[in-house]
Every structure is written in C-alpha cells, then in structure tokens.
Amino acid sequence: MRMRSRRLALSRRAAAAGVATAALAALVACSSGADGASGSAGSDTSSTPAVVSDGGGSDQGGTDKGATATSADLTVHDAWGKAADDGMTGVFAEITNNGPKAITITGGSSEAAHMVQLHGTEGNAKGGMTMKEKEGGFTIEPGASLTLEPGGDHIMLMDLTGPLKPGDEVAIDLELADGSTLELTAQIRDFAGAQEDYAPGHGGASDGGH
Amino acid sequence: MAATDQASPAEPNSAEPAPAQSGTSRRRLLTGGALTAAGLTVGGALGASTASGLLTRNRGAEPAQQESPAPFGEERTAFYGTHQAGITEAPAAHAAFIAFTLKKDTDRDALARMMRIVTDDASRLTDGRAPLTDVEPELAADPSALTITIGFGPGFVERAGGAAPAWLKPLPAFEIDQLQDEFSGGDLLILVASDDPVALSHAQRAMLKSVRPFADLAWVQRGFRSARGAHDDGRTQRNLFGQVDGTVNPHPDEDAFDDLIWVKDGSWMNGGTSLVLRRIAMNMETWDEVDRPSREFSIGRRLDTGAPLTGTKEHDAPDYHAKTATGMPVIDDFSHMRRATSRSARERILRRPYNYDDAPLPGAESGSNTGLLFASYQADVLEQFLPIQQRLAEGDLLNTWTTPIGSAVFAIPPGCAADGFIGETLLS
C-alpha cells in the first residue's frame, strides 16, 4: 500500500498517549479501529515512548473499536449493535476462533436486556428473510471466523432494559458450550437496515432490530 | 486525417476516405493525424492538419508510451497525529464541506459519543476500510488519499461548555456581502476530500449517517480542483475566471509556517487551527463582458502565466512602484493582488480553495452557478485573515464580478492518537 508522497506534506507525528479518554463512565476509550489491515503508517518515529499506535492501527487486539477479546481462543472484532428505544435489537460482530478445537456459543446475558438469544435467518415463502432462534447456537471451527451481520446470524437483545443510543457501549457475556464466558462490548450505532420478517411466535414487532 | 470511418456529411472535404472497419460506429472523430503503418488508430501521431482544420486531440500517448500511470486508489493519508490531516497535504481534487446544526438535546455527553463515532469512522475510511455499519464496504476500499477534517463552530464549543477562542464567531458584515443562511454558519463541520469523487461521496454519506442522530445537516458545499494527473504536481490551480489562483501561500517547509497555522496557546485548541470558509459567487455573464487587458488589470497578474504585471514569471515579486509611461502604477492600487498582499509577516494565511459549478439556480437567467469556495487556514482569524478581508471589502476591482454569498468560521481542533478521539481536549 502506498502512502501518497505529497509536496506539501508535513510529517505526521502521533500525539503523546497521555490524552485523557473515557472520562464518561459508560464509554470505552475510542481506539484505532484496526481490523487487520496494515494501517497508514504516516507518523514519524516519535520520541515519546508512550504512543499507542502509529496510526491506522497495526495493533489489533486491545485497540479494536468497540470490541474486546477475553476468551483464550476467541477474538472479537467490530462489535456493534443497532440503536433502539425499547423492545429488541440486534448485535453484530466478527468472532474468530484461534484455538485448536471447535467452539460453540450457546447463549448470553447482558444488563442491557432481559434475555439474550442467538438468531439465524432463513428465506421465507414470501421471498424475504425470516429470523428465528438458532437451535444449537453458533459453532465456530478452529481457524474460522463467524460473521454476525444484518441479514445473517446475529445476537438478539430481547426486551431491552432501557434505550440504547448511538455511541453507547453495551457489554454482553456470551456463554460457551464448555461453560466459559466470552465478554463482548458492542458500540451502538444508528442503522436503517436489519429489518426482517418475524417468524411466527416471535412475540411482536418492534422498532428495535427487526 | 486519421479516421476509422468516413467523415460525417458535414465534412465533405475530408482528406481521404478511410475504409470502414467492421464494428466501428460511424461517429465523427475529432482526432486527426496520419494513419500509422500498422493500420488505423484513433489518437495517432499528430500529422497534417485536416482539411477542415479541426483541432486534433491526441488521446493517450504515442504507442510506445501508452503505459497508464498506476492507479492511485490505494493511497491513504494517515489520520492520527498531532494535527488533523487535510490541512498541509496537497489539496485533493474533490472536497465536500459539510456543516451540521446540533440537535437541541445533544448535550456534552452526546457530543463526546458523537465524536468517538466520527473519529472511528473517519480513521477507518481514510485507511481504506469500511466503518462499522457500512453497507457499501466496497466503496471504502480505494480511498484515493481521502482526508476527513473536523471543525467546531461557536455553537459546538458552547454546548460543550468550553472556552471559545476570541476569533471563533462570524466575521463582521462587509458591504460586499450578500450572505445566505444556507451557506453560512454551522455548529459542526466535516470536510471530506479525496482525489476520487466516488470515494468522497461514500465517505460523505457515512459521515452523514453517523452524525445525524446528534445533529441535522445544515449545508453541503462541494467543490473541485483540476483532476489529479491533469497537470504536473505543484502547478498552481486556476479558478473558473481562468486566473492562476494560489501563487502566494505559506509552505510547510518555511520556518514561519508552524506559527502561522497552528494555535499555540496551551488551551484545548493547542495544535489546532482555524478555518474561514467563504462562498464567492462569480458572475460569469458580466465577466464575459470584460476584455483581457481589463481582466489582468483587475487582478494585477497576467492571465497566461500568473506573473505579476511587472514581472515575467508566476513567482516574481510584484513591483508596486513601477509606473507606466503616463505615470500610472502598472499594478493598480485596487487590483485584487495589491489589496490582498500581506502588510506584515503575521498577516499571512494558508489558502486551499475549491471551485464550484453547481446546477443553475431555478429562475436564474444565467445558466451558470459558478464560483469559489474560499478556504483559509490561520492560527488567528482576527490577526491574520481579517485585515486582508477588510481591505478587499473596502476596495478590490474584482468585487465587480464576485459576491460573497456564504461565510463560516470554524475551530479546527488538534489531532488525536489512535486511542483518542477528535475533540477530546475539549470534551474529556
């Protein structure tokens, strides 16, 4: 990847890391949003040793935007949820299994919702997508990544305990088949999509999620 | 005349009838030149002029030089740093200045949430990566040197409960102004620039979607410079009056540059700068009435080279004492250049203008809706920009054909590190 060599360019120096962040209780510090892409390495070598990243984020794990990876073998990237005032809403992420064995996510819990479910989608007779609870949860093979996305598999926060507003951070504990827990932090975003049909018996439409 | 088909009936005197090639449409070609030995080519070597004297247009180089430059879509601009990006790099070919009005219930907490989202989206987009919730991730993949620069209006700083710099307020009203609300003011500015207008539009859309839970769109002013690669890098741009525009500009390599551009007052604005954005409407119809010598006289510069009327090269220093044979100044006292010239070392600004040429206004007689997005960066608007603007408002021959119809002042906060966000020095 090329950096543009610009006649007028000043060297770009990363600011010292001593910048205050996350003064607000509910919020996690903004991070570089690295997603595996080698970041734009435009900064000079700085004499300040505490610089977190040289920009663009070649450092993945701790600086992923809106995501934490706490289980030994699972890494979570780009976790986010759809803003909603009440009802239910979807949470999406990329979860990679770095371990040697298949891992199954069986359920979850969160203070943000009375119930957490795992949902998949399938085509319905009307030519649209219907979502419903996925029996057996989500299994991720070793070395594979699970993409939770609108229109596909996703986490549902059912019966929200309060409104989720853009910029909020929501913590969700995903339960794994072996009894361990994966903590995921999702940033809430405004999103127009993720509106899908309900399968019968789903319990009422709502603005949140589907 | 090189042609892959017959000239149209309107050109009965085409030099020689060329055999029609199968599959070639019988369109009228503007290219001329000799046939190559190998056959018929469009855009071949410039040869004898056509009988009708059409200008030849050589599309592409000689066959031996037909390599296109490598695509620049992958080029990225670093987002994080002491200063925000998009200020000292060579200006990208396309820009959108997007202003927002904060919603009434967007409080200080909400401003911080918004700026975290905006920072995350902007850092990804400028790195050629799709932001969270991007439903067209393919459009994020080729940023083409995309930059996204954030500015705060007076309303933003007030809502954040911060202390605004003394210059962060609307400019005083000038007699020449005919300012329209739809191009003026703003609580938040997002300036998106890219060498690819498709990448720009995608980034603009992403920013809009991320901001609109917190603020309503106030206006968008979109502008352009010459396409990347149209000219040698470093060649001064022209505005749509045809003038070489931007000759005198501080350069980042100058010792004085840092002090001229970056705020150094120890406040939350330390490492930031200010932006004055003025929308200057050009009256193309009345400008058409002006002959070339008068045009040059009104600027003080030659139109062909941009040289001062007393010089021969663009960067020659003007000689304001030179007189004509009849004792008049060669460079008029009220020429645009003379009035805009800095009167002191401090009175210098970094100009990064863009042309605009929008759809004609409904009901307007003129088919053109053309002008300049005049963007100027300086550490202190009052010390550096205002004296120049006042001189121009009081007297500038160019005012005959231009009218300011929009005006906005923004504080451009400092940059941030990868674990921070733009505006943290104000909002943390």
Side-chain angles (χ1 to χ4, degrees), chain B residues 108-131:
Chain B
R108 183 181 153 92
D109 280 1
L111 290 180
R113 279 186 280 123
M114 174 179 71
M115 289 314 301
R116 283 188 167 85
I117 290 176
V118 164
T119 301
D120 189 55
D121 286 355
S123 63
R124 288 184 189 237
L125 286 163
T126 55
D127 194 41
R129 292 178 293 127

Side-chain angles (χ1 to χ4, degrees), chain B residues 93-116:
Chain B
H94 301 269
F97 295 82
I98 312 161
F100 298 86
T101 304
L102 295 176
K103 290 181 190 285
K104 293 216 175 342
D105 57 2
T106 299
D107 58 14
R108 183 181 153 92
D109 280 1
L111 290 180
R113 279 186 280 123
M114 174 179 71
M115 289 314 301
R116 283 188 167 85

